[in-house]
Amino acid sequence: MKRLFQLAHLFALAGALLLPTSRAAHAEEISVTQWGSSLYGLPYAVAMEQGLFKKAGIDITGIISSGGGGTTVRNILASKTPYGEVAVSAALAAARQGLDIVIVNVGTRSVAEASMVTMPSSPIHTLDDLVGKKVAITSPKSVSEMLFLMVLREKGIDASKVTRVASGGYVNGMTMLEQGAVVGAVAIEPLSILRKSQYRTLYRAGDVLKPMTTSVGITTRAFAQSHPDTLRAIIAGRRAGVDATYADPAGAAKLLATQFKLTPDVAKEAVDNMVRSHMWSQGQFDRAELDRVASGLKLIGEIKDDVDWAKLIDSRFLPADVRAKGQL
C-alpha cells in the first residue's frame, strides 16, 4: 500500500483514497520540530486525529520528528513532501545558506511555554538578584538563551553581568541547579509543569515579553510552484487543527496526554496555558511579531542585519480569510 501511495504521488494519478468531497487525499508525511517533546505540534496531532487533513484534501499519516534547527530543515528537504514547521532561526539560517526555501505560514506566536526556575529555598527572588550569578541555558545561540537575554533587556539588566552556562538540555540545566552549580535554569512546558513541585518559578517569559513569531512553516520554492494544492491542503488542515484545539482544549489535552504519556492534569494545565496565551497561529503573518523575534536573534548573534521578510515569505497558500488577517 505504501508503494502504491508513492506511485500515486510521483505520477500525480488518481491512486489515493477518495474523500466524500471527491477531493483526492494523498498519504503524506511532514516534519515538525520537537515533535513529541514540545507543544508546537499539537494542532497537527488534533488534525490527524479528527480527520481534518483529509477534509482539506491530504492524508497526513505521520510526522517526522527531530531535535530542531538544521536537522529539521534537512529532514524537510529530503522528504517526499518537503513541508515542515521549524523555528524561525532555522528558517533564516537555511535561507542564508542559499537553500531553496520559502516561508508559507506562521506556526506559533508565543513564548508562554518558556520560564526560568530556581530552588524553593534560593535567595534569588527577582531578576536583579541574578547579577553576578550563573544561570543555565541549553546552548549558545539557542532559543532559551535568546529569550533569557530578551527578558533581561526588557527589565533593563546588563546581560554581561549574568554568566550563562550551557547545560546541553533543559533536564541537564535543572540537575545543575539542584547541585548548586547555577542559581537558575531555563525551563519549558510540559517539563516545567511536571517538576513544578521541585522548583520555584523566577519568571515566565510570556509574562514579560510581547507575542512574537517563534515557528514557521517552510517548503521549497520548487515544491510550492509544482504542488500548490498540496501545500494549501496542508496549511488548511493545520489551521483546522488550530481551530479545533481552541474550540475544545479539554479534548486536545486528552490527546496530548496520550501522545506525551502525561497525566491528565499535567496535559490539561499545559494546554490551558497555551490556549490562554494564544500560542498557535492560524497561519497569518504579523510584521511586528516577526520583527520581535528578529530582534532577539540579533541579541544572540544569530543574525546581524534586518530581515527582508518580503523576500522570504509567500502568503498565497494561506486560506483567504487567514491571509486577510495578516499585517505585513
Side-chain angles (χ1 to χ4, degrees):
M1 183 62 71
K2 182 178 179 180
R3 178 59 177 164
L4 176 60
F5 286 146
Q6 290 174 336
L7 290 173
H9 173 73
L10 289 172
F11 295 100
L13 299 175
L17 298 175
L18 293 178
L19 295 173
T21 57
S22 296
R23 292 189 64 184
H26 300 286
E28 311 284 359
E29 286 187 336
I30 57 177
S31 299
V32 176
T33 186
Q34 306 290 346
W35 175 258
S37 61
S38 76
L39 299 175
Y40 290 110
L42 183 56
Y44 294 92
V46 171
M48 286 191 291
E49 177 75 11
Q50 297 185 12
L52 302 176
F53 280 118
K54 288 184 179 180
K55 289 181 180 179
I58 188 166
D59 184 12
I60 301 297
T61 57
I63 303 293
I64 302 170
S65 179
S66 76
T71 301
T72 302
V73 173
R74 288 190 292 272
N75 284 346
I76 292 168
L77 297 180
S79 175
K80 182 182 69 173
T81 305
Y83 170 88
E85 186 169 319
V86 303
V88 174
S89 57
L92 295 179
R96 287 197 306 274
Q97 293 167 15
L99 299 180
D100 179 37
I101 66 120
V102 61
I103 299 173
V104 291
N105 68 290
V106 167
T108 51
R109 52 173 299 278
S110 171
V111 294
E113 76 279 11
S115 62
M116 177 167 283
V117 297
T118 189
M119 298 304 294
S121 60
S122 171
I124 305 297
H125 292 280
T126 69
L127 281 162
D128 287 315
D129 295 333
L130 295 177
V131 173
K133 306 294 193 303
K134 295 179 181 180
V135 300
I137 58 170
T138 59
S139 61
K141 295 190 176 183
S142 63
V143 171
S144 68
E145 182 182 35
M146 181 188 81
L147 295 180
F148 177 56
L149 292 179
M150 293 182 79
V151 167
L152 292 181
R153 182 176 64 181
E154 186 69 21
K155 293 298 184 179
I157 298 172
D158 185 350
S160 68
K161 296 182 179 180
V162 182
T163 301
R164 302 183 295 280
V165 181
S167 67
Y170 290 103
V171 174
N172 297 350
M174 291 175 175
T175 299
M176 293 176 68
L177 176 63
E178 293 170 4
Q179 294 175 343
V182 295
V183 300
V186 292
I188 194 169
E189 294 189 15
L191 177 63
S192 56
I193 298 174
L194 285 167
R195 297 191 173 196
K196 66 179 180 180
S197 64
Q198 299 174 234
Y199 310 109
R200 171 163 46 83
T201 300
L202 184 61
Y203 68 82
R204 291 181 174 82
D207 294 338
V208 181
L209 304 175
K210 293 180 180 179
M212 67 185 77
T213 305
T214 47
S215 68
V216 289
I218 66 170
T219 188
T220 66
R221 293 185 187 275
F223 186 80
Q225 183 175 355
S226 60
H227 295 81
D229 290 340
T230 299
L231 198 53
R232 289 189 183 97
I234 293 172
I235 295 172
R238 181 198 170 276
R239 180 265 182 96
V242 169
D243 291 345
T245 300
Y246 287 133
D248 182 18
K254 289 180 180 178
L255 182 59
L256 180 68
T258 300
Q259 292 216 345
F260 280 39
K261 295 180 174 59
L262 301 173
T263 60
D265 57 329
V266 169
K268 182 179 186 303
E269 183 175 348
V271 173
D272 286 348
N273 287 347
M274 297 307 102
V275 167
R276 191 178 305 114
S277 65
H278 212 75
M279 175 183 185
W280 300 287
S281 168
Q282 289 181 319
Q284 66 269 26
F285 295 98
D286 185 300
R287 180 60 183 265
E289 295 181 5
L290 287 163
D291 285 342
R292 283 182 197 127
V293 75
S295 174
L297 292 172
K298 287 181 181 179
L299 274 180
I300 57 175
E302 183 66 20
I303 61 174
K304 295 181 180 179
D305 303 317
D306 292 339
V307 178
D308 188 349
W309 296 110
K311 288 185 177 180
L312 295 174
I313 290 172
D314 190 341
S315 63
R316 293 177 299 166
F317 308 100
L318 293 170
D321 64 317
V322 173
R323 186 167 63 251
K325 297 176 184 177
Q327 300 178 36
L328 277 179

